[in-house]
Coordinates of all heavy atoms in Angstrom, one line a residue:
G140 N -2.2 10.4 8.7 CA -3.3 10.0 7.8 C -2.7 9.3 6.6 O -1.5 9.0 6.5
Q141 N -3.6 9.0 5.7 CA -3.2 8.3 4.5 C -4.2 8.7 3.3 O -5.3 9.0 3.6 CB -3.3 6.7 4.7 CG -4.6 6.2 5.2 CD -4.8 6.3 6.7 OE1 -3.9 6.2 7.4 NE2 -6.0 6.5 7.1
I142 N -3.6 8.7 2.1 CA -4.4 9.0 0.9 C -5.0 7.7 0.5 O -4.4 6.6 0.5 CB -3.5 9.5 -0.2 CG1 -2.7 10.7 0.3 CG2 -4.3 10.0 -1.4 CD1 -3.5 11.8 1.0
Y143 N -6.3 7.7 0.1 CA -6.9 6.5 -0.3 C -7.8 6.8 -1.6 O -8.3 7.9 -1.8 CB -7.7 5.8 0.8 CG -9.2 6.4 0.9 CD1 -10.2 5.7 0.4 CD2 -9.4 7.6 1.5 CE1 -11.5 6.2 0.6 CE2 -10.7 8.1 1.6 CZ -11.8 7.4 1.2 OH -13.0 7.9 1.3
H144 N -8.0 5.7 -2.3 CA -8.9 5.8 -3.5 C -10.2 5.2 -3.1 O -10.3 4.0 -2.8 CB -8.3 5.0 -4.7 CG -9.0 5.2 -6.0 ND1 -10.2 4.8 -6.3 CD2 -8.6 5.9 -7.1 CE1 -10.6 5.1 -7.5 NE2 -9.6 5.8 -8.0
P145 N -11.3 6.0 -3.0 CA -12.6 5.5 -2.6 C -13.0 4.3 -3.5 O -12.8 4.2 -4.7 CB -13.5 6.7 -2.9 CG -12.7 7.9 -2.8 CD -11.3 7.4 -3.3
L146 N -13.6 3.3 -2.8 CA -14.0 2.1 -3.5 C -15.4 2.3 -4.2 O -16.2 3.1 -3.7 CB -14.2 0.9 -2.5 CG -13.0 0.5 -1.7 CD1 -13.3 -0.6 -0.6 CD2 -11.9 0.0 -2.6
Y147 N -15.6 1.6 -5.3 CA -16.8 1.8 -6.0 C -18.0 1.4 -5.2 O -19.1 2.0 -5.2 CB -16.7 0.9 -7.3 CG -18.0 1.0 -8.2 CD1 -18.3 2.1 -8.9 CD2 -18.9 -0.1 -8.2 CE1 -19.4 2.2 -9.7 CE2 -20.1 0.0 -8.9 CZ -20.3 1.1 -9.7 OH -21.5 1.2 -10.4
N148 N -17.9 0.3 -4.5 CA -18.9 -0.2 -3.6 C -19.0 0.7 -2.3 O -18.1 0.6 -1.5 CB -18.7 -1.7 -3.2 CG -19.9 -2.3 -2.5 OD1 -20.2 -1.9 -1.3 ND2 -20.6 -3.2 -3.1
K149 N -20.1 1.4 -2.2 CA -20.2 2.4 -1.1 C -20.1 1.7 0.3 O -19.6 2.2 1.3 CB -21.4 3.2 -1.2 CG -21.5 4.0 -2.5 CD -20.3 5.0 -2.6 CE -20.4 5.9 -3.9 NZ -19.3 6.8 -4.0
A150 N -20.7 0.5 0.4 CA -20.8 -0.2 1.7 C -19.4 -0.6 2.1 O -19.0 -0.4 3.3 CB -21.7 -1.4 1.6
F151 N -18.6 -1.2 1.2 CA -17.3 -1.6 1.5 C -16.3 -0.4 1.7 O -15.4 -0.5 2.5 CB -16.7 -2.5 0.4 CG -17.2 -4.0 0.5 CD1 -18.4 -4.3 -0.1 CD2 -16.6 -4.9 1.3 CE1 -18.9 -5.7 0.0 CE2 -17.0 -6.2 1.5 CZ -18.2 -6.6 0.8
D152 N -16.6 0.7 1.0 CA -15.8 1.9 1.2 C -16.0 2.4 2.6 O -15.0 2.7 3.3 CB -16.2 2.9 0.2 CG -15.4 4.2 0.2 OD1 -14.2 4.1 0.0 OD2 -15.9 5.3 0.5
K153 N -17.2 2.4 3.1 CA -17.5 2.8 4.4 C -16.8 1.9 5.5 O -16.3 2.4 6.5 CB -19.0 2.9 4.7 CG -19.4 3.5 6.0 CD -21.0 3.6 6.1 CE -21.4 4.2 7.4 NZ -22.9 4.2 7.5
L154 N -16.8 0.6 5.2 CA -16.2 -0.4 6.1 C -14.7 -0.1 6.2 O -14.2 -0.1 7.4 CB -16.5 -1.8 5.6 CG -17.9 -2.4 5.9 CD1 -18.1 -3.7 5.1 CD2 -18.0 -2.7 7.4
F155 N -14.1 0.1 5.1 CA -12.6 0.3 5.2 C -12.2 1.6 5.8 O -11.2 1.8 6.4 CB -12.0 0.1 3.8 CG -11.7 -1.4 3.5 CD1 -12.6 -2.2 2.8 CD2 -10.5 -1.9 3.9 CE1 -12.4 -3.5 2.5 CE2 -10.2 -3.3 3.6 CZ -11.1 -4.1 2.9
L156 N -13.1 2.6 5.5 CA -12.9 3.9 6.2 C -13.0 3.8 7.7 O -12.2 4.4 8.5 CB -13.9 4.9 5.7 CG -13.6 5.6 4.3 CD1 -14.7 6.5 3.9 CD2 -12.3 6.4 4.4
R157 N -13.9 3.0 8.2 CA -14.0 2.7 9.6 C -12.8 2.0 10.1 O -12.3 2.4 11.2 CB -15.3 1.9 9.9 CG -15.6 1.7 11.3 CD -16.7 0.7 11.6 NE -17.0 0.7 13.0 CZ -16.3 0.0 13.9 NH1 -15.3 -0.7 13.5 NH2 -16.7 0.0 15.2
L158 N -12.3 1.0 9.4 CA -11.2 0.3 9.9 C -9.9 1.2 10.0 O -9.2 1.1 11.0 CB -10.8 -0.9 8.9 CG -11.6 -2.2 9.0 CD1 -11.2 -3.2 7.9 CD2 -11.5 -2.8 10.4
R159 N -9.7 2.0 9.0 CA -8.5 2.8 9.0 C -8.6 4.0 9.9 O -7.6 4.5 10.5 CB -8.3 3.3 7.6 CG -7.9 2.2 6.6 CD -8.0 2.6 5.1 NE -7.8 1.5 4.3 CZ -8.1 1.4 3.0 NH1 -8.7 2.5 2.4 NH2 -7.8 0.4 2.2
G160 N -9.9 4.4 10.2 CA -10.0 5.6 11.0 C -10.0 5.3 12.5 O -9.9 6.2 13.3
Q161 N -10.2 4.0 12.9 CA -10.3 3.6 14.3 C -9.0 3.9 15.0 O -9.0 4.0 16.3 CB -10.7 2.2 14.4 CG -9.6 1.2 13.9 CD -10.1 -0.3 14.0 OE1 -10.9 -0.6 14.9 NE2 -9.6 -1.1 13.2
F162 N -7.8 4.1 14.3 CA -6.6 4.3 15.0 C -6.4 5.8 15.3 O -5.4 6.2 15.9 CB -5.4 3.8 14.1 CG -5.6 2.4 13.7 CD1 -5.7 2.0 12.4 CD2 -5.6 1.3 14.7 CE1 -5.9 0.7 12.0 CE2 -5.7 0.0 14.3 CZ -5.9 -0.3 12.9
G163 N -7.2 6.6 14.7 CA -7.1 8.1 14.9 C -6.6 8.9 13.8 O -6.7 10.1 13.8
G164 N -6.1 8.2 12.7 CA -5.5 8.9 11.6 C -6.7 9.3 10.6 O -7.8 8.8 10.7
E165 N -6.4 10.1 9.7 CA -7.4 10.6 8.7 C -7.2 10.0 7.4 O -6.1 9.8 6.9 CB -7.3 12.1 8.6 CG -8.2 12.7 7.6 CD -8.1 14.2 7.4 OE1 -7.2 14.8 8.1 OE2 -8.8 14.8 6.6
S166 N -8.3 9.5 6.8 CA -8.3 9.0 5.4 C -8.7 10.1 4.5 O -9.8 10.6 4.6 CB -9.2 7.8 5.3 OG -8.7 6.7 6.1
I167 N -7.8 10.5 3.6 CA -8.0 11.6 2.6 C -8.3 11.1 1.2 O -7.5 10.4 0.7 CB -6.8 12.5 2.6 CG1 -6.5 13.0 4.0 CG2 -7.1 13.7 1.7 CD1 -5.2 13.8 4.1
P168 N -9.5 11.3 0.7 CA -9.8 10.9 -0.7 C -8.8 11.4 -1.7 O -8.3 12.6 -1.6 CB -11.2 11.4 -1.0 CG -11.8 11.6 0.4 CD -10.6 12.0 1.3
M169 N -8.4 10.6 -2.7 CA -7.3 11.0 -3.6 C -7.6 12.4 -4.3 O -6.7 13.2 -4.4 CB -7.1 9.9 -4.6 CG -5.9 10.1 -5.5 SD -5.7 8.8 -6.7 CE -5.3 7.4 -5.6
K170 N -8.8 12.6 -4.7 CA -9.1 13.8 -5.4 C -9.1 15.1 -4.5 O -9.0 16.2 -5.0 CB -10.5 13.7 -6.0 CG -10.6 12.7 -7.2 CD -11.9 12.7 -7.8 CE -12.0 11.7 -9.0 NZ -13.3 11.7 -9.7
E171 N -9.1 14.9 -3.2 CA -9.0 16.0 -2.3 C -7.7 16.2 -1.7 O -7.5 17.0 -0.7 CB -10.1 15.8 -1.2 CG -11.5 15.7 -1.7 CD -12.5 15.4 -0.6 OE1 -12.2 15.6 0.6 OE2 -13.6 14.9 -0.9
T172 N -6.7 15.4 -2.2 CA -5.4 15.4 -1.5 C -4.7 16.8 -1.4 O -4.4 17.2 -0.3 CB -4.4 14.5 -2.3 OG1 -4.9 13.2 -2.3 CG2 -3.0 14.4 -1.6
L173 N -4.5 17.5 -2.5 CA -3.8 18.8 -2.4 C -4.5 19.8 -1.5 O -3.9 20.4 -0.7 CB -3.7 19.3 -3.8 CG -3.0 20.7 -3.9 CD1 -1.6 20.7 -3.3 CD2 -2.9 21.2 -5.4
R174 N -5.8 19.9 -1.7 CA -6.6 20.9 -0.9 C -6.5 20.6 0.6 O -6.3 21.5 1.4 CB -8.0 21.0 -1.4 CG -8.9 22.0 -0.7 CD -10.3 22.1 -1.3 NE -11.0 20.8 -1.3 CZ -12.1 20.6 -1.8 NH1 -12.8 21.6 -2.4 NH2 -12.7 19.4 -1.7
R175 N -6.7 19.4 0.9 CA -6.7 19.0 2.3 C -5.3 19.2 2.9 O -5.2 19.6 4.1 CB -7.2 17.5 2.5 CG -7.2 17.0 3.9 CD -8.1 17.9 4.8 NE -8.1 17.5 6.2 CZ -8.3 18.3 7.2 NH1 -8.6 19.5 7.0 NH2 -8.3 17.8 8.4
L176 N -4.2 18.8 2.2 CA -2.9 18.9 2.8 C -2.5 20.3 2.9 O -1.7 20.7 3.8 CB -1.9 18.1 1.9 CG -2.1 16.6 1.9 CD1 -1.0 15.9 1.1 CD2 -2.0 16.1 3.4
V177 N -2.9 21.2 2.0 CA -2.6 22.6 2.1 C -3.2 23.2 3.4 O -2.6 23.9 4.2 CB -3.1 23.4 0.9 CG1 -3.0 24.9 1.2 CG2 -2.2 23.1 -0.3
T178 N -4.5 22.7 3.6 CA -5.2 23.2 4.8 C -4.5 22.7 6.1 O -4.2 23.4 7.1 CB -6.6 22.7 4.8 OG1 -7.3 23.2 3.7 CG2 -7.4 23.1 6.1
L179 N -4.1 21.4 6.1 CA -3.4 20.8 7.3 C -2.1 21.5 7.5 O -1.6 21.6 8.7 CB -3.2 19.3 7.1 CG -4.5 18.4 7.2 CD1 -4.2 17.0 6.8 CD2 -5.1 18.5 8.6
S180 N -1.4 21.8 6.5 CA 0.0 22.4 6.6 C -0.1 23.8 7.3 O 0.9 24.3 7.8 CB 0.6 22.6 5.2 OG 0.0 23.5 4.4
R181 N -1.3 24.4 7.3 CA -1.5 25.7 7.9 C -1.9 25.6 9.4 O -2.1 26.6 10.1 CB -2.5 26.5 7.1 CG -2.0 26.9 5.7 CD -3.2 27.5 4.9 NE -2.7 27.8 3.6 CZ -3.5 28.1 2.5 NH1 -4.8 28.1 2.7 NH2 -3.0 28.4 1.4
G182 N -2.1 24.4 9.8 CA -2.5 24.1 11.2 C -1.3 24.2 12.2 O -0.2 24.4 11.8
E183 N -1.6 23.9 13.4 CA -0.6 23.9 14.5 C 0.3 22.7 14.5 O 1.4 22.7 14.8 CB -1.3 24.1 15.8 CG -2.0 25.5 16.0 CD -2.5 25.7 17.4 OE1 -2.4 24.8 18.2 OE2 -3.1 26.7 17.6
K184 N -0.3 21.5 14.2 CA 0.4 20.3 14.3 C 1.2 19.9 13.1 O 0.9 20.4 12.0 CB -0.6 19.1 14.5 CG -1.2 18.9 15.9 CD -2.0 17.6 16.0 CE -2.3 17.3 17.4 NZ -3.0 16.0 17.5
K185 N 2.3 19.2 13.3 CA 3.0 18.6 12.1 C 2.1 17.6 11.5 O 1.1 17.1 12.1 CB 4.3 17.9 12.6 CG 5.4 18.9 12.9 CD 6.7 18.1 13.2 CE 7.9 19.0 13.3 NZ 7.8 20.0 14.4
V186 N 2.3 17.3 10.2 CA 1.5 16.4 9.4 C 2.3 15.3 8.8 O 3.4 15.5 8.3 CB 0.8 17.2 8.3 CG1 -0.1 16.3 7.5 CG2 0.0 18.4 8.8
M187 N 1.9 14.0 9.0 CA 2.5 12.9 8.5 C 1.5 12.0 7.7 O 0.6 11.5 8.2 CB 3.2 12.0 9.6 CG 4.0 10.8 9.1 SD 4.8 9.9 10.4 CE 6.1 11.1 10.8

Side-chain angles (χ1 to χ4, degrees):
Q141 55 278 327
I142 309 303
Y143 86 103
H144 192 289
L146 300 176
Y147 178 77
N148 185 294
K149 300 300 182 183
F151 280 90
D152 185 59
K153 187 176 179 180
L154 280 168
F155 275 92
L156 279 176
R157 184 187 186 282
L158 279 181
R159 293 163 184 165
Q161 68 183 330
F162 308 115
E165 178 182 0
S166 294
I167 303 172
M169 187 179 293
K170 291 183 178 180
E171 300 174 18
T172 301
L173 178 58
R174 181 174 58 184
R175 180 57 181 155
L176 291 184
V177 168
T178 299
L179 288 173
S180 69
R181 294 169 179 166
E183 294 182 1
K184 281 189 171 184
K185 285 186 171 64
V186 180
M187 182 175 288

